Amino acid sequence: MDVKTLITILAAISGIILGWVGGTRAFKQDIAQDAGNGAALKTDVEYIKRGVDDMRLEQRAQGQRFDVLSERVTRIEESAKSYHKRLDRFEENRRSDV
């Protein structure tokens, strides 16, 4: 065989090997990068889920506070109604005494 032919064959084989190694390395880097992106995405989703859970708890607490406040307002209205009735009776008694 001729030396030029041998060098050409060796260059072609080494090119194929180097291309294969480079492609494999790039593929592994892509996989590692995708895994990192997937982990970051999962972390972000977990953070959002915790935020939504916190909002639900806060909404429930607000609802309970509203119920308590509503009950207090109802009691105050009843008390004011009773007071007005007593006041009306008092005024009627004063008018009849005069």
Side-chain angles (χ1 to χ4, degrees), residues 61-76:
Q62 287 288 354
Q64 291 172 348
R65 285 189 286 251
F66 180 78
D67 290 343
V68 169
L69 184 60
S70 177
E71 185 177 324
R72 289 180 65 191
V73 167
T74 303
R75 284 189 207 146
I76 290 170

Side-chain angles (χ1 to χ4, degrees), residues 50-82:
R50 282 193 303 269
V52 169
D53 290 342
D54 290 344
M55 284 189 275
R56 284 182 182 160
L57 290 174
E58 182 62 28
Q59 184 180 13
R60 186 174 296 133
Q62 287 288 354
Q64 291 172 348
R65 285 189 286 251
F66 180 78
D67 290 343
V68 169
L69 184 60
S70 177
E71 185 177 324
R72 289 180 65 191
V73 167
T74 303
R75 284 189 207 146
I76 290 170
E77 287 173 341
E78 291 171 356
S79 177
K81 186 177 179 181
S82 173

Side-chain angles (χ1 to χ4, degrees), residues 39-50:
L41 184 62
K42 184 175 180 180
T43 302
D44 291 343
V45 168
E46 289 295 323
Y47 177 75
I48 291 169
K49 284 172 55 178
R50 282 193 303 269

